[in-house]
């Protein structure tokens, strides 16, 4: 099972000192955090994508490309790549380039983001968010899988005889996750393609996460990619740990109380009771997250948000060490001891995807040939059906 961290890249005042880092300091801190996570032995580092203050991660592939040259083992990923407002052509080329630079040590997560104004900033209509996600991803798949693409859709200019460069490493595109908190259409899309589904449930009760993941699993099996329990699932999480619970709560409380997202609302005790945020000793974090498989089944990736709300860099690096040295070994042992043999432990690596494609005879001339695509009216019909089914699930 993979364990790692993700950043939303917020620039937030430290409420205990009143100091606010500038954008340059924050970007450099994120790079240091990722490098430290690699040195500590964590499996994954992921960055979000935002185009507005107070966030600084506006160019994920630039950041991850730098990290590809300054880390050794950690998988480099995104916690959001904006499939709705980015041009699929640019996504195809940027992430194929990152795949080549990192020698396949990467994947990415499609998402729609959580900032409504980003749509008009990039010339898009937020009311078309789901349709944009469906059409843009269908085109992205073709750009990676076909060397010459002729294409026409609703949301960008047509392509005639277009080849995206560089071609995917070894002729196999990167592994893709689809991230969603509340949209069954996105769970449907992930299931249709046999991609991973990531529920970033940091602000939601586990009952909602259970419904979304179960829906994705059912549809994954429906589309013939394997049994429901073999579907590739990831979860988000949050924690703050110290040697004893009292110290953790005392240290983290001012950051919680003043955080732009959840500060000045429910108490920390109320929030931790209703969401995965856990503040306490390492054993309390272990006990809380060891129960996640009871709600969503055996899953493959657990990412934690730990560098937010104005926490100083020194504290974040300490949290990484606690995670890598005390929490992850216990959670990995617990989860793997209960995982059936036929259920994958991790998302598929690049090497595993290449071997599978070659076995199936799908690597030809530098691209993967003969894969089905979700395009045109079929995608729209399936999205509408997904919405109706999602409503039945109460999503």
């Amino acid at each position: 099972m993979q364990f790692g961290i993700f950043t939303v890249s917020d620039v937030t005042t430290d409420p205990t000192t009143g100091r606010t880092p500038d954008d340059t300091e924050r970007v450099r801190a994120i790079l240091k955090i990722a490098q430290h996570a690699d040195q500590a032995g964590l499996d994954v580092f992921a960055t979000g994508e935002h185009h507005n203050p107070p966030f600084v991660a506006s160019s994920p592939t630039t950041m991850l490309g730098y990290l590809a040259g300054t880390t050794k083992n950690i998988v480099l990923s995104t916690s959001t790549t904006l499939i709705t407002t980015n041009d699929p052509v640019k996504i195809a080329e940027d992430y194929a380039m990152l795949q080549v630079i990192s020698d396949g040590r990467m994947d990415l997560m499609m998402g729609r983001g959580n900032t409504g104004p980003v749509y008009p900033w990039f010339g898009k209509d937020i009311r078309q968010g789901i349709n944009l996600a469906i059409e843009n991803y269908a085109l992205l798949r073709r750009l990676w899988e076909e060397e010459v693409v002729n294409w026409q859709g609703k949301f960008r200019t047509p392509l005639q005889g277009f080849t995206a460069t560089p071609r995917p490493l070894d002729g196999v595109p990167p592994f893709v996750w689809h991230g969603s908190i509340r949209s069954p259409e996105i769970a449907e899309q992930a299931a249709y393609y046999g991609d991973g589904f990531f529920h970033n449930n940091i602000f939601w009760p586990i009952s909602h996460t259970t419904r979304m993941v179960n829906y994705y699993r059912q549809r994954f099996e429906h589309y013939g990619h394997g049994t429901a329990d073999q579907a590739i699932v990831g979860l988000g999480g949050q924690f703050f740990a110290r040697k004893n619970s009292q110290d953790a709560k005392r240290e983290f409380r001012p950051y919680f109380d003043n955080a732009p997202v959840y500060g000045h609302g429910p108490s920390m005790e109320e929030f931790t009771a209703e969401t995965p945020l856990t503040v306490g000793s390492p054993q309390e974090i272990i006990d809380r997250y060891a129960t996640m498989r009871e709600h969503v089944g055996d899953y493959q990736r657990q990412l934690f948000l730990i560098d937010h709300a104005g926490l100083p860099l020194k504290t974040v690096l300490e949290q990484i060490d606690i995670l890598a040295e005390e929490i992850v070994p216990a959670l990995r042992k617990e989860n793997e001891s209960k995982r059936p043999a036929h259920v994958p432990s991790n998302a598929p690596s690049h090497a595993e995807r290449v071997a599978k494609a070659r076995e199936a005879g799908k690597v030809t001339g530098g691209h993967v040939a003969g894969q089905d695509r979700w395009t045109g009216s079929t995608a729209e019909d399936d999205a509408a059906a997904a919405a109706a089914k999602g409503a039945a699930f109460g999503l």
Side-chain angles (χ1 to χ4, degrees):
M1 185 172 176
Q2 294 175 320
F3 293 90
I5 59 174
F6 72 98
T7 183
V8 295
S9 76
D10 59 308
V11 177
T12 303
T13 300
D14 184 335
T16 67
T17 65
R19 184 178 182 279
T20 305
D22 63 22
D23 287 3
T24 298
E25 180 181 350
R26 182 67 170 115
V27 169
R28 289 174 177 169
I30 293 171
L31 296 175
K32 177 64 175 176
I33 288 164
Q35 291 162 345
H36 192 77
D38 179 54
Q39 294 160 6
L42 294 182
D43 302 308
V44 182
F45 170 79
T47 176
E49 178 184 350
H50 297 276
H51 298 277
N52 58 292
F55 308 102
V56 294
S58 58
S59 182
T61 53
T62 304
M63 180 182 293
L64 297 177
Y66 174 84
L67 290 170
T70 58
T71 59
K72 294 181 179 180
N73 300 308
I74 199 164
V75 173
L76 304 170
S77 189
T78 60
S79 49
T80 305
T81 294
L82 296 176
I83 187 63
T84 46
T85 50
N86 283 316
D87 185 348
V89 172
K90 197 71 170 69
I91 294 176
E93 296 188 330
D94 284 352
Y95 284 92
M97 179 67 78
L98 176 62
Q99 188 191 35
V100 170
I101 290 171
S102 68
D103 198 25
R105 186 165 49 92
M106 56 79 68
D107 55 32
L108 69 158
M109 186 191 309
M110 301 300 168
R112 291 180 292 140
N114 59 5
T115 306
V118 73
Y119 285 83
W121 292 341
F122 287 84
K124 306 298 181 183
D125 184 347
I126 192 172
R127 295 170 296 183
Q128 296 294 329
I130 292 292
N131 291 331
L132 280 161
I134 291 170
E135 180 176 294
N136 285 354
Y137 186 60
L139 174 56
L140 175 61
R141 296 271 300 206
R142 290 191 60 184
L143 291 165
W144 276 336
E145 294 168 3
E146 302 174 25
E147 288 197 34
V148 180
V149 174
N150 296 305
W151 178 90
Q152 184 169 350
K154 295 181 179 179
F155 300 112
R156 78 171 316 282
T157 53
L159 298 174
Q160 296 294 328
F162 182 79
T163 299
T165 61
R167 303 306 302 151
L169 180 67
D170 300 316
V172 176
F175 183 74
V176 173
W177 299 82
H178 299 260
S180 181
I181 296 173
R182 60 188 180 273
S183 301
E185 298 95 333
I186 302 304
E188 180 85 18
Q189 185 183 37
Y192 180 89
Y193 287 109
D195 294 339
F197 179 67
F198 191 94
H199 194 265
N200 197 4
N201 56 321
I202 57 176
F203 300 125
W204 290 78
I206 194 64
S207 58
H208 174 77
T209 302
T210 299
R211 289 196 299 272
M212 286 289 287
V213 171
N214 284 347
Y215 178 69
Y216 159 70
R217 289 188 183 280
Q218 293 164 10
R219 301 303 290 167
F220 181 93
E221 181 171 312
H222 167 80
Y223 287 116
H225 300 296
T227 58
D229 59 356
Q230 293 175 318
I232 305 300
V233 173
L235 297 181
Q238 297 182 84
F239 77 88
F240 187 87
R242 286 303 185 196
K243 185 176 181 179
N244 64 69
S245 182
Q246 293 79 10
D247 287 345
K249 289 179 170 61
R250 182 169 54 252
E251 184 175 350
F252 187 67
R253 190 176 301 279
Y255 295 96
F256 177 89
D257 289 345
N258 293 279
V261 175
Y262 45 57
H264 310 291
S267 70
M268 189 169 73
E269 287 72 19
E270 292 169 332
F271 194 85
T272 55
E274 293 296 326
T275 75
L277 173 64
T278 308
V279 181
S281 67
Q283 189 59 52
E284 287 178 289
I285 300 352
I286 293 166
D287 291 344
R288 183 81 179 277
Y289 280 88
T291 67
M292 292 298 172
R293 63 176 300 279
E294 299 172 9
H295 301 282
V296 302
D298 293 289
Y299 64 113
Q300 286 71 35
R301 180 173 288 185
Q302 175 70 63
L303 300 184
F304 295 99
L305 173 64
I306 60 173
D307 72 324
H308 60 121
L311 287 164
L313 176 59
K314 178 177 180 294
T315 301
V316 174
L317 300 183
E318 291 168 350
Q319 294 297 300
I320 290 173
D321 290 337
I322 293 170
L323 176 62
E325 296 169 10
E326 301 184 54
I327 297 172
V328 165
L331 284 177
R332 198 189 308 275
K333 181 179 179 181
E334 175 72 13
N335 280 279
E336 293 309 315
S337 69
K338 297 178 179 179
R339 188 185 304 273
H342 69 284
V343 174
S345 293
N346 302 310
S349 67
H350 177 72
E352 290 168 338
R353 286 167 58 78
V354 170
K356 184 177 180 180
R358 286 176 175 164
E359 183 181 352
K362 290 184 177 180
V363 176
T364 59
H367 71 281
V368 178
Q371 295 194 3
D372 293 334
R373 295 186 298 274
W374 193 19
T375 57
S377 59
T378 301
E380 295 169 359
D381 292 346
D382 279 351
K389 291 170 184 147
F393 276 84
L395 300 175

